[in-house]
Amino acid sequence: MIPDRQIKHHDRERSSWVRLRTLVILRWIAILGQITALVVSVRILGLDLEVGLAAMAIGASIIANLFSTFLYPETKRLSELEAMLMLLFDLLQLCLLLYLTGGLNNPFALLVLAPVTIAATFLRLRDTAILGIITILILTALAAWHIPLRSIAGDVLEMPDLFRFGFWVALVIGVVFLGAYARLITSEIHEMSDALLATQMALAREQKLTDLGGVVAAAAHELGTPLATIKLVSGELLDELGDDPDLADDVRLIGEQANRCTAILRSMGRAGKDDLHMRRVPLEGLLREAAEPHLMRGKRLEFVISDETEMPARQPIIERRPEIVHGLRNLVQNAVDFSSDKVLIESTWTDKSVSVRISDDGPGYPSAILARIGDPFMRRREDTSRPGYEGMGLGLFIAKTLLERSGARLDFANGGSLGGALVAVTWNRDQIDPSKGDRAGGLGENLPFGD
């Protein structure tokens, strides 16, 4: 899993994702639009504008773009300060043009929303807020001070004061609303991207453990007979060499080392197994494997089969898929983390469904976040039952994502069998146990890896 401290700073690094070339292209588009608007206003609409000063403002933007294009490579990524300065320059250049062309009487004043909205997508909240405040202050100044729009005949073209005030209010609301809207949407997209990356890393890690366990299981399978032969022969030699203590000690040592090799192989293979006979296991075996890392953490884990179960002696035979094992393991970990003393892992099945309920005797889920459980980066107040705990919701998000990927449906609630938190995982039986628990029929011969 990605450590929390590596994910928390994703907001600080967001500006480095934007290339200089992207903002340069946007600025060229703005320059083209400004030149077109200026030409149309003078040549077609017949407005009396400060063409020279307006051309100088547009020229400053052109020079800045040429400077950025030739001084830096196209692949340059902008720092936080560089991105902020570029957007601030664009804002000031646009507002200068608005000052020269009627202020808020110019309908193109609406374009001041663009820099703030763009900033909200990749700048930090502080810098976005600064840019938004500057925009509102400039809009307020433009409402009072600007060069009025005039026709060729000298008529002043202005909106009534009430309409101009309403336009100012609309622009201020637009700055706040669009900035906040863009900020929330992009933040959610980035957080979901980070959380999915964490899920992929967790699944990849589980797959590697499974593959490693497969190699160990294959080695243990192939070495089982030779090691058993060594132990058998050493035992017979030990009986025959009882009168020679030196040789007897050596033979005894050979037997002990053979036993040690067997124990080492068995221990290494606990992380995962790929032997054909271990690819599908009974439901209880899968649950015990998922809970195994948490058995020695000082909490009691109890595995039971519900009384509602149809044919309890005929357990579902589940495929050992990494996403199921890791997802259930995360749910058990969460229950153990917050339990006071006991965690109950209850399974039940029918001919149509398979369910696993994991409950604990802890304080349960806070009611304020119960409806949001499973969202990534779900921050909440420090938990009084676990001082210093800074969970971000990634564990439950990963578990939910991986288990839903296997076809499961997850339900979170309070008031389980032990009075604390409860999570119920339910599969359609045909998805994970199409044989309905039937173990008849061989799995075939173990093949070499790669075949």
Side-chain angles (χ1 to χ4, degrees), residues 191-443:
E191 288 183 352
M192 184 61 70
S193 176
D194 288 338
L196 290 175
L197 175 61
T199 303
Q200 292 171 357
M201 293 179 64
L203 183 58
R205 177 180 178 274
E206 190 69 29
Q207 185 63 57
K208 288 181 179 179
L209 290 176
T210 300
D211 293 341
L212 175 62
V215 174
V216 176
H221 180 77
E222 298 297 331
L223 293 175
T225 301
L227 288 173
T229 302
I230 292 173
K231 290 190 289 184
L232 178 62
V233 173
S234 63
E236 293 177 352
L237 288 176
L238 186 62
D239 294 337
E240 296 178 3
L241 297 174
D243 297 335
D244 191 336
D246 293 334
L247 290 178
D249 289 342
D250 292 339
V251 172
R252 187 178 295 107
L253 179 61
I254 291 174
E256 291 175 353
Q257 293 304 307
N259 289 331
R260 185 184 177 194
C261 289
T262 302
I264 290 174
L265 288 172
R266 184 181 299 112
S267 176
M268 292 175 63
R270 292 171 70 185
K273 305 173 182 63
D274 196 41
D275 187 275
L276 284 175
H277 295 279
M278 296 301 297
R279 286 184 181 175
R280 300 181 68 232
V281 295
L283 176 61
E284 185 176 358
L286 187 71
L287 295 176
R288 290 185 180 275
E289 179 184 349
E292 185 177 6
H294 309 291
L295 293 176
M296 306 301 294
R297 293 182 54 191
K299 307 293 178 66
R300 292 186 297 127
L301 272 69
E302 182 177 341
F303 300 84
V304 299
I305 298 176
S306 171
D307 296 335
E308 303 172 0
T309 301
E310 297 179 4
M311 302 180 65
R314 195 178 182 85
Q315 289 194 32
I317 308 300
I318 310 298
E319 186 177 357
R320 289 190 65 262
R321 293 161 59 181
E323 56 264 36
I324 296 179
V325 174
H326 194 80
L328 291 173
R329 184 169 294 160
N330 274 14
L331 295 179
V332 173
Q333 176 183 341
N334 190 74
V336 171
D337 285 346
F338 288 93
S339 66
S340 300
D341 177 65
K342 182 179 178 182
V343 173
L344 179 65
I345 303 175
E346 185 180 19
S347 56
T348 182
W349 57 87
T350 66
D351 190 53
K352 296 183 178 180
S353 65
V354 176
S355 299
V356 175
R357 292 191 291 266
I358 302 173
S359 57
D360 61 68
D361 58 354
Y365 301 115
S367 56
I369 67 169
L370 187 58
R372 297 178 51 232
I373 290 179
D375 288 348
F377 303 100
M378 184 182 57
R379 297 173 178 84
R380 57 183 177 85
R381 295 181 180 177
E382 185 176 351
D383 182 37
T384 56
S385 66
R386 295 183 63 200
Y389 181 74
E390 296 182 356
M392 300 178 70
L394 270 182
L396 288 178
F397 171 80
I398 290 174
K400 186 172 184 289
T401 302
L402 292 179
L403 290 171
E404 286 179 346
R405 181 173 172 175
S406 70
R409 185 185 74 253
L410 278 73
D411 297 298
F412 299 90
N414 286 324
S417 301
L418 301 180
L422 167 68
V423 55
V425 186
T426 306
W427 290 272
N428 185 319
R429 185 158 183 169
D430 290 335
Q431 291 180 303
I432 60 173
D433 182 28
S435 62
K436 300 293 191 295
D438 185 10
R439 308 188 192 192
L443 293 173

